[in-house]
Amino acid sequence: MSEPISITGGTQTMVAVIQGHYGAEPEAVLRTARLARPTIGSGEVLVRVRASSVDRGTWHMMAGLPYAVRAVSGLRRPKLPNPGRNIAGVVEAVGSDVAGFAPGEEVYGTAVAAFAEYAATRPDRIATKPAGLTFEEAATVPVSALTALQAVRDRSKVQDGQQVLITGAAGGVGTFAVQLAHAFGAQVTAVASAPKLDAVRALGADRVIDYAREDFLAGPQRYDAIIDIAGNRGLRDLRRALTPRGRLVITGGETDGSWLGGTDRQLRAQMLSPFVGQHLGTFIASEHADGLRDLTALIDTGVLRPVVDRVHPLAETATAIRHLLDGRVTGKLALAVPAE
């Protein structure tokens, strides 16, 4: 992206990533600009962002694909200046009705338009940053780790001694899911590409499978839970690999379809679930402070740690998204926002 352009004459400004239209190619859509800083209401918090991160949801919001996301992001053009969601930084100001946070406190969580030097958010979307993490590490946690926690603990209900299969185990959600399932006492089988198998094994996977060399659903193994993050296998194959009362949680498995983008598989799983003994479904992760505090406790005790593949400066947001799309990332990509 080029040097920031100024589109405001205000004195309280910031550098931010902006997009004026939808598009699948980040280099053609995203640029930097100098904007007015967000103003906050009585129930909001202004955060001086020190780091953010990208995930697959970033691309969906940027591209407006599948079209269903535009019900949230804007029908013809994006409602928000940029598609960023994750933040880690320092509280700059708090609204008059906000309790529990004060200027100068280090926090992490989610906000709208997070690819910027400042972001406004609600206090129920942030929590105190884990003391042992850098800002860049902390910024990779909120969306992906909350998704993993809810998939493993709340939806799959993983318990000690269970057999758990995780596809897409080397990705942003997958690296957290492997650690969580291992921490809950499961025997974890992790599916990833060959160059990433050692990294996944180091996170606690008991067995790793290279999906290019082995059909991970073809063997006799039956799983109490399958967390399908990056697969695109049919429901019949997935159900065959489950125990009779097993749980399937689909959190990914995308196609190039413009309308549903692979979500038809999730919809069919939910419709079938009431008629079979297995629990089949999907979910939209909730972004809330309670979950962040749970993650902080796990991080502080050494149970969970973010895997950061690389850190890009904010000005290279498009490059970071391109690296994500190329599929060679292990874990997460962070964006560093320089301190003033």
Side-chain angles (χ1 to χ4, degrees):
M1 291 182 287
S2 60
E3 289 296 312
I5 62 171
S6 177
I7 60 175
T8 179
T11 56
Q12 294 293 305
T13 63
M14 65 176 184
V15 173
V17 173
I18 63 170
Q19 69 170 112
H21 61 279
Y22 289 120
E25 305 302 324
E27 300 87 353
V29 174
L30 302 178
R31 58 193 175 113
T32 54
R34 184 162 288 278
L35 310 178
R37 294 184 190 178
T39 57
I40 59 171
S42 60
E44 294 183 307
V45 178
L46 181 66
V47 177
R48 172 58 169 98
V49 180
R50 295 291 305 277
S52 186
S53 65
V54 302
D55 51 49
R56 191 69 186 185
T58 305
W59 180 85
H60 286 298
M61 296 295 286
M62 180 195 78
L65 294 172
Y67 291 135
V69 307
R70 300 193 184 194
V72 175
S73 62
L75 293 179
R76 294 190 176 184
R77 63 183 60 193
K79 293 179 183 178
L80 300 173
N82 68 62
R85 296 290 298 169
N86 298 278
I87 58 169
V90 179
V91 173
E92 179 78 8
V94 298
S96 58
D97 294 339
V98 173
F101 293 102
E105 184 173 356
E106 295 182 351
V107 297
Y108 78 134
T110 60
V112 298
F115 297 155
E117 291 180 319
Y118 292 86
T121 189
R122 301 201 314 257
D124 61 352
R125 296 292 183 93
I126 57 175
T128 301
K129 181 181 76 68
L133 297 186
T134 66
F135 285 112
E136 291 80 11
E137 290 171 330
T140 68
V141 172
V143 170
S144 292
L146 283 171
T147 301
L149 181 65
Q150 291 164 38
V152 173
R153 183 189 67 185
D154 304 335
R155 301 289 172 164
S156 298
K157 301 185 184 301
V158 171
Q159 299 177 21
D160 184 46
Q162 288 188 328
Q163 295 288 333
V164 176
L165 174 71
I166 300 174
T167 71
V173 176
T175 50
F176 288 116
V178 169
Q179 294 177 77
L180 290 167
H182 173 73
F184 294 158
Q187 293 291 305
V188 181
T189 298
V191 181
S193 61
K196 303 175 182 180
L197 295 182
D198 287 342
V200 173
R201 187 180 288 108
L203 296 175
D206 299 282
R207 179 183 176 217
V208 295
I209 298 177
D210 174 6
Y211 66 81
R213 296 176 60 89
E214 181 179 346
D215 184 347
F216 55 88
L217 297 178
Q221 178 69 59
R222 296 295 176 263
Y223 299 96
D224 299 290
I226 297 176
I227 302 171
D228 191 26
I229 300 169
N232 54 14
R233 297 293 292 271
L235 286 179
R236 181 178 299 177
D237 290 341
L238 291 165
R239 287 190 60 208
R240 189 165 50 240
L242 277 177
T243 61
R245 295 289 178 180
R247 290 176 171 266
L248 168 66
V249 178
I250 303 175
T251 67
E254 300 162 356
T255 69
D256 294 328
S258 295
W259 288 99
L260 294 176
T263 57
D264 56 307
R265 200 166 55 112
Q266 285 96 315
L267 294 173
R268 286 187 284 109
Q270 289 183 303
M271 290 188 291
L272 178 61
S273 187
F275 303 101
V276 298
Q278 297 158 329
H279 186 279
L280 317 172
T282 187
F283 71 103
I284 298 175
S286 300
E287 301 170 4
H288 51 75
D290 288 343
L292 291 169
R293 286 189 284 267
D294 289 343
L295 292 171
T296 297
L298 292 166
I299 292 167
D300 287 346
T301 56
V303 170
L304 192 67
R305 63 181 177 86
V307 177
V308 181
D309 188 288
R310 68 182 75 180
V311 178
H312 291 271
L314 181 66
E316 294 181 6
T317 299
T319 301
I321 297 174
R322 173 58 60 195
H323 286 156
L324 181 71
L325 297 176
D326 288 344
R328 293 192 292 269
V329 176
T330 300
K332 297 285 297 181
L333 293 171
L335 299 172
V337 183
E340 293 178 326

